[in-house]
Amino acid sequence: MSPLFEMQNVEKHFGTVIALGGVNFSVSAGECHCLLGDNGAGKSTLIKTMSGVHPPTSGQLFMRGERLTFRDPREAMGHGIATVYQDLAMIPLMSVSRNFFMGNEPVKNILGINLFDHDFADRVTMEEMRKMGINLRGPHQAVGTLSGGERQTVAIARAVYFGAKVLILDEPTSALGVRQTANVLATVDRVRQAGIAVVFITHNVRHALAVGDRFTVLNRGKTMGTAKKGEITPEELQDLMAGGQQLAELESSLGGTV
């Protein structure tokens, strides 16, 4: 399967600091490619390079084989690359429908005046959330009254509705309970089955294995390897994240299991 989105030998330097040191990464339509790494591995820099926040110092980005250069995140979104960050970019006191259409407000013209089209926004919000398996009490429900998993689903549904072809999820299950995590993972599976390419960033091996088709480990700004589902065990993934050799050496020096 040819990749929908691809990064080749991407480096990102901040002065003398090398945040990414030659990353190769790709994701295909209908695939969930999990990017795993511990804190400081370079995941945040990689996300921002993929989504147009940081231009790469060197290396190339491709979409369907066409080379891309982004001047800002809006250009990346124009190519169908959408990112759902941990903070979700939502206003808790505003309604779900207002948050869903924030920045892309539908309008209707009444007596020459453009007004927010509440009926359209409410209808679409409820429909899109139902597609993701969430039945809201109503579109006017404040986002702040939703669970963490439901807010994640609102953000994902919003990105999909507005044309995401590559959906980047930044630690979507961090700080969620068991039930909420299960709901978010089910949403990720629905998005993948709809033919959208999903980049799932996480440091949780169990969550990655639950939805991932491929797994790439990032350590100190470099990719340590990529494996398909069934080709690698949870323990091997964990070792790669921790820097397997260093972990083995520590275990040996302590004379037991770390």
Side-chain angles (χ1 to χ4, degrees):
M1 185 184 297
S2 59
L4 176 63
F5 177 83
E6 187 174 12
M7 307 176 78
Q8 291 183 1
N9 301 315
V10 168
E11 295 191 8
K12 181 59 186 176
H13 303 172
F14 296 98
T16 58
V17 177
I18 301 175
L20 298 176
V23 171
N24 292 290
F25 185 84
S26 67
V27 62
S28 300
E31 176 189 36
C32 179
H33 193 156
C34 296
L35 182 67
L36 298 103
D38 211 343
N39 294 334
K43 300 192 302 296
S44 294
T45 302
L46 185 60
I47 292 169
K48 291 177 179 177
T49 303
M50 293 176 71
S51 58
V53 177
H54 296 320
T57 304
S58 64
Q60 298 176 334
L61 309 180
F62 296 90
M63 189 79 164
R64 294 194 180 93
E66 177 187 352
R67 186 176 177 183
L68 302 177
T69 54
F70 302 138
R71 287 174 294 184
D72 54 47
R74 188 168 290 277
E75 283 196 358
M77 291 173 65
H79 283 86
I81 299 172
T83 305
V84 176
Y85 291 101
Q86 290 184 52
D87 61 12
L88 301 180
M90 291 187 184
I91 300 174
L93 295 178
M94 282 176 56
S95 70
V96 177
S97 61
R98 277 285 193 174
N99 273 283
F100 193 98
F101 283 96
M102 188 164 53
N104 295 280
E105 290 79 2
V107 295
K108 58 183 177 181
N109 189 282
I110 300 178
L111 299 176
I113 301 173
N114 287 332
L115 300 174
F116 184 84
D117 192 339
H118 288 281
D119 292 339
F120 177 82
D122 293 349
R123 184 175 68 255
V124 168
T125 299
M126 295 296 287
E127 287 174 358
E128 295 304 312
M129 291 301 290
R130 273 195 293 270
K131 289 178 185 176
M132 296 295 175
I134 302 294
N135 291 309
L136 299 172
R137 292 199 300 270
H140 299 149
Q141 182 177 355
V143 158
T145 64
L146 301 179
S147 70
E150 289 170 336
R151 288 195 295 272
Q152 280 283 353
T153 302
V154 172
I156 293 170
R158 178 174 64 187
V160 171
Y161 177 77
F162 285 107
K165 297 179 179 67
V166 178
L167 181 63
I168 305 168
L169 302 177
D170 179 19
E171 298 276 5
T173 56
S174 65
L176 294 183
V178 175
R179 184 182 296 275
Q180 294 177 32
T181 294
N183 289 341
V184 170
L185 295 178
T187 299
V188 172
D189 188 53
R190 287 188 181 92
V191 171
R192 174 184 57 184
Q193 290 184 24
I196 295 170
V198 179
V199 180
F200 186 102
I201 288 90
T202 184
H203 62 269
N204 191 304
V205 170
R206 287 183 60 202
H207 297 172
L209 288 170
V211 294
D213 297 299
R214 279 194 294 160
F215 312 93
T216 292
V217 174
L218 195 66
N219 193 321
R220 298 183 183 180
K222 295 184 178 180
T223 45
M224 306 300 291
T226 297
K228 294 180 181 178
K229 192 174 188 117
E231 292 180 348
I232 192 166
T233 66
E235 293 75 21
E236 288 169 338
L237 266 179
Q238 198 76 52
D239 281 355
L240 277 175
M241 287 173 60
Q245 186 60 40
Q246 294 97 313
L247 191 64
E249 290 173 358
L250 177 60
E251 183 177 317
S252 176
S253 68
L254 294 176
T257 303
V258 177

